[in-house]
Amino acid sequence: MRQVRRGPAASPGQAGYGGAPPYSGGVPQQPSYVDGGGRGPGDSYDSGYNTGQVYGSPGGGGPGGPGDGFYEPRPAPNWRRRIKVTAITVVTLLVVTSVGTYFWADSKLNRDVDLSKVIDRPEAGEGTNYLIVGSDSRKGMSAEEKKKLHTGSAEGKRTDSMMILHTGGGAPTLISLPRDSNVTIPSFKGSDSGKLYPATGRQTKLNAAYAEDGPELLVRTVEANTGLHIDHYVEIGFAGFANIVDAVGGVEMNIPQDIKDTKSGADLKKGTQTLNGEQALAFVRTRYALRGSDLDRTKNQQKFLSALANQVATPGTVLNPFKLYPTMSAGLDTLVVDKDMSLFDLASMFWAMKGVSGGEGKSMNMPIAGNSPNGNLQWNTAKVKTLVNELKNDDPVTVSGN
């Protein structure tokens, strides 16, 4: 290894490195490192290493310098500002999500019913009256689904259940209209043809009005036979009903008796249990296995729909997007409503039905006097008149049904 001589630098002209002559094509003369930088004591340059200065720590921020550390202390976090920013962010997300959900849900409503086609309507009273219809529509159902739900394969659609829900300043009232109710078909205008059909005094079952000319004639017939103004129309088919029940994870019901009905497919035991979509549809359609037939069936339909509304309007469903969106999608895709129905109206209807199930309202059948000569159920005219007057004035209902 080459040895380097330490000591005073050679003066100009002095031999370097062992008396060798100055540089003349050999090894160049090396600078002296007296001050660590190749300069003599009189030079002003200082690399900073001798004083402990380090890059990034001005003024000797290294050990022994004024800062005596590598970093300055961090300021304490401003928690008040962080909380404020977080709150604003959460509120903004909620608003954006809510607005988006509203427009998404609104776009799914099938506003196919035009109540402006209904003629000779009674004057509107206090509060709001919804005509809620369960139809036997099999639209969109596969052959396998029809078999599973015991719906059969009949073409077209008919009303399987009909109810009037009244909401207003007081407790809500839910009134079932038995499908076998005896009614007079009034004059009406065809929903598609626009042709005026005069009244002939023809009496038939209430569900025949729907089968003859759809929702518009059904509304016209209900209004003409009761004198009550219908504000909104809501209809749901078999598939939609079952899908909603499954979307909320089933509905808990207290079955009053063992039910075995081959026509509806019901095979239920007495007691409290959770019904899935298939079981629920069978339960609300059962009539032949019940002593009161259609009258008992309407009572079961009221109980179930109220329980379903109560299940849907719970925090576990409303605040859980994994339940809320499937439930809304299952229901809104198959709901048929009138052209003036808003999501607010629909939500009000569900909350009112929840109130009925919670004991805040009243559920009943349309008062029946007995059978008419043609074998249909005849309404009690006096009681119906009193009931309608109370609903029009938004008074508490004192009339009882069957």
Side-chain angles (χ1 to χ4, degrees):
M1 172 182 275
R2 177 179 295 173
Q3 299 297 318
V4 180
R5 180 185 172 199
R6 302 288 182 178
S11 60
Q14 184 179 356
Y17 295 103
Y23 173 68
S24 58
V27 178
Q29 182 176 349
Q30 300 298 308
S32 172
Y33 292 91
V34 174
D35 63 350
R39 284 172 169 74
D43 294 330
S44 61
Y45 177 80
D46 185 359
S47 67
Y49 282 93
N50 287 339
T51 59
Q53 294 181 11
V54 181
Y55 176 77
S57 58
D68 197 21
F70 289 101
Y71 302 101
E72 292 291 334
R74 292 184 179 180
N78 189 338
W79 289 108
R80 179 176 297 181
R81 181 177 181 277
R82 290 188 179 184
I83 293 173
K84 182 179 179 180
V85 171
T86 301
I88 292 175
T89 302
V90 171
V91 170
T92 301
L93 288 174
L94 287 176
V95 170
V96 171
T97 302
S98 299
V99 172
T101 299
Y102 178 89
F103 284 105
W104 167 79
D106 187 74
S107 68
K108 285 184 169 292
L109 281 178
N110 300 306
R111 296 183 172 92
D112 298 335
V113 179
D114 188 357
L115 296 183
S116 68
K117 296 179 179 179
V118 180
I119 63 173
D120 300 333
R121 309 192 67 187
E123 291 185 5
E126 300 293 328
T128 304
N129 299 309
Y130 299 85
L131 180 58
I132 304 171
V133 174
S135 77
D136 64 358
S137 172
R138 298 156 178 84
K139 183 178 180 181
M141 295 177 64
S142 65
E144 182 179 352
E145 289 173 325
K146 292 176 184 178
K147 182 179 180 180
K148 177 182 178 182
L149 298 177
H150 299 270
T151 65
S153 299
E155 295 298 327
K157 59 181 181 178
R158 287 149 292 278
T159 49
D160 211 55
S161 62
M162 292 160 282
M163 303 179 189
I164 294 175
L165 175 67
H166 174 82
T167 64
T173 302
L174 185 62
I175 307 161
S176 283
L177 309 176
R179 57 183 288 178
D180 293 342
S181 297
N182 191 61
V183 295
T184 300
I185 300 295
S187 61
F188 68 96
K189 183 180 291 186
S191 57
D192 291 329
S193 66
K195 179 182 176 181
L196 182 64
Y197 294 87
T200 61
R202 175 168 55 103
Q203 293 187 333
T204 185
K205 294 179 180 180
L206 179 58
N207 67 338
Y210 182 98
E212 186 171 332
D213 197 45
E216 287 84 0
L217 179 55
L218 178 60
V219 171
R220 167 74 175 128
T221 303
V222 170
E223 290 187 340
N225 284 266
T226 63
L228 187 67
H229 182 90
I230 300 299
D231 299 288
H232 291 294
Y233 178 91
V234 182
E235 176 188 326
I236 188 168
F238 281 160
F241 180 85
N243 289 341
I244 292 176
V245 175
D246 286 334
V248 298
V251 176
E252 186 177 278
M253 284 290 297
N254 183 14
I255 308 299
Q257 66 181 72
D258 289 351
I259 299 177
K260 180 84 171 177
D261 187 356
T262 56
K263 291 186 178 294
S264 68
D267 187 7
L268 304 170
K269 299 298 182 181
K270 179 181 179 180
T272 300
Q273 54 201 283
T274 299
L275 304 183
N276 60 26
E278 178 184 349
Q279 294 169 323
L281 183 60
F283 175 69
V284 299
R285 293 182 61 219
T286 294
R287 61 184 302 199
Y288 297 104
L290 305 177
R291 179 177 297 179
S293 188
D294 201 36
L295 291 179
D296 282 350
R297 181 175 75 154
T298 56
K299 293 176 182 178
N300 286 342
Q301 290 171 345
Q302 289 177 345
K303 292 177 182 177
F304 186 85
L305 289 179
S306 296
L308 175 60
N310 188 65
Q311 178 77 15
V312 171
T314 59
T317 298
V318 175
L319 300 180
N320 183 352
F322 297 102
K323 272 193 174 182
L324 176 63
Y325 284 92
T327 301
M328 293 181 68
S329 182
L332 295 174
D333 279 342
T334 54
L335 276 181
V336 176
V337 300
D338 64 271
K339 293 184 180 299
D340 295 326
M341 173 73 81
S342 68
L343 283 177
F344 178 80
D345 295 322
L346 195 60
S348 297
M349 184 193 79
F350 274 102
W351 280 105
M353 292 185 71
K354 179 182 178 181
V356 172
S357 69
E360 300 172 2
K362 181 174 184 176
S363 60
M364 57 182 289
N365 277 326
M366 186 64 83
I368 302 296
N371 290 334
S372 62
N374 58 8
N376 300 332
L377 295 174
Q378 187 65 49
W379 293 350
N380 186 313
T381 305
K383 286 188 175 182
V384 170
K385 183 177 180 180
T386 301
L387 172 63
V388 169
N389 285 336
E390 291 173 341
L391 294 177
K392 279 185 174 182
N393 297 321
D394 199 24
D395 293 332
V397 172
T398 62
V399 178
S400 60
N402 298 76

